[in-house]
Amino acid sequence: MGCLGGITSPFWSLRERRGVDLPHNKVTAEMPTRTMPVPSKVILPMQQHVGARCTPLVKRKDHVNVGMLVGHAEARTTADIYSSVSGTVTEVRNIYYANGKSDVAIVIEPDGEQTVDESVWPPEVPDYRMLVHAVKYSGIVGLGGAGFPTELKLDVDVDSIDTWLVNGAECEPYLSSDYREMIEHPDTIRRGLETCLDLSGVPHAIVCIEDNKPKAIELLERTFADDPRVDVLAMPTRYPQGAAHVLVRNATGREVPRGGHTTDVGCVLFNVTTMSCIGRFLEDGMPLVKRRVTVAGDAVANPQNLEVCIGTPIREVLEFCGLREEPHKVVTGGPMMGVSQVDLDYPIVRQNSGLLAFGEASARELETTACIRCGTCVNSCPMSLSPIEIMKAYRRGDMAALDRLMADLCMECGTCSYVCPARQPLTQNVRLARADLKAEKRKAKGR
Ligand code: SF4
Ligand code: SF4
């Protein structure tokens, strides 16, 4: 099909006015990735993915190497956890999240040697089944923030798929981790994507990149210039362009049905760094033990892209970058969909593409005022929902209305809260409504 070469999607007009233009603040975009030294300790929570928690396979005083399996679960939906350092296990203990939930974590004191475990070996993948099987033992999850086990995403009926989408949109402000992957490692992206296409037989791939990244678009066009299966698509820069259903719609014109998946409309969708990670794993066999994190925000003295060992405490990352002032708000991920962290001893985990620290002035919460019925939240929602009506229905406990208003379609992108002039807590309420509606539906199905 050849490269589309900076041409925007013919389907974009479907939702032209939805979403929101955000200040990009991607000050780290042109900074080459630096590698952070091995930290004083790594903390490996046993749930760094969507699905079942892993069980620790090591105990206090055990010696571990880089790439050694330390957490495993028998469940179907899970992703194994590997040590990011060589050293000694000092603790296996509970840790607590900001939402009150707890997890088990393995704490390792590095020996500084970074000895690679003898189990690390490039996999042989003669066919698609073996590729899926190999990725199961890679610890790779969706690196754009979702944390969904990649093996499960690959494990689909490939005969029903005609389009392999690669998400290089990186539409959240501040973040430039995926952008650096595209600039620094186009060859591993190519290796990962072309292996998947070769072995699956899926005939067409589209690498989707927002048009505020012209260097990445040009570089990937050149990278795939001789592969007629791969198009590079320049998409308009508008948040949340990278959200799964939005991207499928804007790249292919297909609507994922309510409650359905991208596979229902013949598409699979992978984050661009995830694709690259598959390419790297096929080459050296090293499971996912480190990742690039964009460290930014106005409290950070030296914003940058850092490659860190998974499990590095947030505090050590911030100390390495330096702080202008005591952070009043620390977020892992992007400012729109990221998670606020209250404990700086909590670690960087696999799906954290960003670490943002904000000072007192920018972290201050604005006062909520009465809804002025301006309709901006409704006009901006990329899923065509009515956030204000959903919030009202949630507050009066009206499940039938939540179902009618399709609260379950919310992807928690934060657009409605961002655009609301009254600073109504729309996203928070729609998130709760969505959870309640899903629980109600599960109950109705007897599950
Ligand atoms: S209702 Fe959900 S999907 Fe719509 S703008 Fe708000 S957070 Fe985004
Ligand atoms: S954007 Fe805010 S003020 Fe406007 S209708 Fe929605 S909730 Fe009300």
Side-chain angles (χ1 to χ4, degrees), residues 371-377 388 420-422 424 426:
C371 170
I372 56 170
R373 301 184 190 173
C374 63
T376 312
C377 57
I388 180 64
C420 175
Q424 290 284 327
L426 294 164

Short mmCIF file of all heavy atoms in Angstrom, two decimals, residues 371-377 388 420-422 424 426, ligand 2:
data_model
loop_
_atom_site.label_atom_id
_atom_site.label_comp_id
_atom_site.label_asym_id
_atom_site.label_seq_id
_atom_site.Cartn_x
_atom_site.Cartn_y
_atom_site.Cartn_z
N CYS A 371 -22.42 24.19 37.95
CA CYS A 371 -22.49 23.92 36.50
C CYS A 371 -23.26 25.04 35.81
O CYS A 371 -24.33 25.44 36.27
CB CYS A 371 -23.19 22.58 36.29
SG CYS A 371 -23.60 22.26 34.56
N ILE A 372 -22.70 25.57 34.75
CA ILE A 372 -23.38 26.65 34.03
C ILE A 372 -24.07 26.12 32.76
O ILE A 372 -24.49 26.89 31.91
CB ILE A 372 -22.39 27.78 33.67
CG1 ILE A 372 -21.20 27.22 32.86
CG2 ILE A 372 -21.91 28.50 34.92
CD1 ILE A 372 -20.31 28.28 32.25
N ARG A 373 -24.16 24.82 32.65
CA ARG A 373 -24.85 24.17 31.53
C ARG A 373 -24.34 24.64 30.16
O ARG A 373 -25.12 24.88 29.24
CB ARG A 373 -26.35 24.40 31.62
CG ARG A 373 -26.93 23.86 32.91
CD ARG A 373 -28.41 24.01 32.92
NE ARG A 373 -28.95 23.72 34.23
CZ ARG A 373 -30.22 23.89 34.57
NH1 ARG A 373 -31.06 24.35 33.68
NH2 ARG A 373 -30.64 23.60 35.76
N CYS A 374 -23.04 24.75 30.08
CA CYS A 374 -22.46 25.24 28.82
C CYS A 374 -22.37 24.13 27.77
O CYS A 374 -22.23 24.40 26.59
CB CYS A 374 -21.08 25.82 29.08
SG CYS A 374 -19.90 24.61 29.69
N GLY A 375 -22.41 22.88 28.22
CA GLY A 375 -22.35 21.76 27.28
C GLY A 375 -20.96 21.43 26.76
O GLY A 375 -20.80 20.53 25.93
N THR A 376 -19.94 22.11 27.28
CA THR A 376 -18.58 21.87 26.77
C THR A 376 -18.13 20.43 27.02
O THR A 376 -17.48 19.82 26.17
CB THR A 376 -17.58 22.84 27.43
OG1 THR A 376 -18.13 24.15 27.36
CG2 THR A 376 -16.24 22.81 26.75
N CYS A 377 -18.49 19.89 28.18
CA CYS A 377 -18.08 18.51 28.49
C CYS A 377 -18.70 17.53 27.49
O CYS A 377 -18.06 16.57 27.06
CB CYS A 377 -18.43 18.15 29.93
SG CYS A 377 -20.17 18.31 30.34
N ILE A 388 -21.91 15.20 32.26
CA ILE A 388 -22.70 15.86 33.31
C ILE A 388 -23.95 15.06 33.64
O ILE A 388 -24.30 14.90 34.82
CB ILE A 388 -23.05 17.33 32.91
CG1 ILE A 388 -23.87 18.02 33.99
CG2 ILE A 388 -23.75 17.42 31.57
CD1 ILE A 388 -23.17 18.21 35.30
N CYS A 420 -14.06 21.59 31.66
CA CYS A 420 -15.18 22.17 32.42
C CYS A 420 -14.79 23.49 33.08
O CYS A 420 -13.90 23.52 33.93
CB CYS A 420 -15.65 21.18 33.49
SG CYS A 420 -16.93 21.87 34.54
N PRO A 421 -15.47 24.60 32.73
CA PRO A 421 -15.12 25.88 33.34
C PRO A 421 -15.49 25.94 34.82
O PRO A 421 -14.96 26.77 35.56
CB PRO A 421 -15.94 26.90 32.52
CG PRO A 421 -17.06 26.11 31.95
CD PRO A 421 -16.56 24.73 31.74
N ALA A 422 -16.40 25.05 35.26
CA ALA A 422 -16.81 25.04 36.67
C ALA A 422 -15.98 24.07 37.50
O ALA A 422 -16.22 23.93 38.70
CB ALA A 422 -18.30 24.68 36.75
N GLN A 424 -16.02 20.94 37.65
CA GLN A 424 -16.81 19.85 38.23
C GLN A 424 -15.99 18.56 38.16
O GLN A 424 -15.30 18.32 37.16
CB GLN A 424 -18.11 19.68 37.44
CG GLN A 424 -19.11 20.80 37.63
CD GLN A 424 -19.82 20.70 38.97
OE1 GLN A 424 -20.06 19.61 39.49
NE2 GLN A 424 -20.15 21.86 39.53
N LEU A 426 -16.00 15.69 37.00
CA LEU A 426 -16.74 14.82 36.08
C LEU A 426 -16.08 13.47 35.91
O LEU A 426 -16.73 12.42 36.05
CB LEU A 426 -16.87 15.54 34.73
CG LEU A 426 -17.72 16.82 34.75
CD1 LEU A 426 -17.47 17.64 33.50
CD2 LEU A 426 -19.18 16.47 34.89
S1 SF4 B 2 -18.57 21.58 31.09
FE1 SF4 B 2 -18.94 21.85 33.30
S2 SF4 B 2 -20.19 23.67 33.43
FE2 SF4 B 2 -20.31 23.00 31.29
S3 SF4 B 2 -22.11 21.62 31.20
FE3 SF4 B 2 -20.35 20.33 31.62
S4 SF4 B 2 -20.33 20.19 33.88
FE4 SF4 B 2 -21.59 21.94 33.39
#
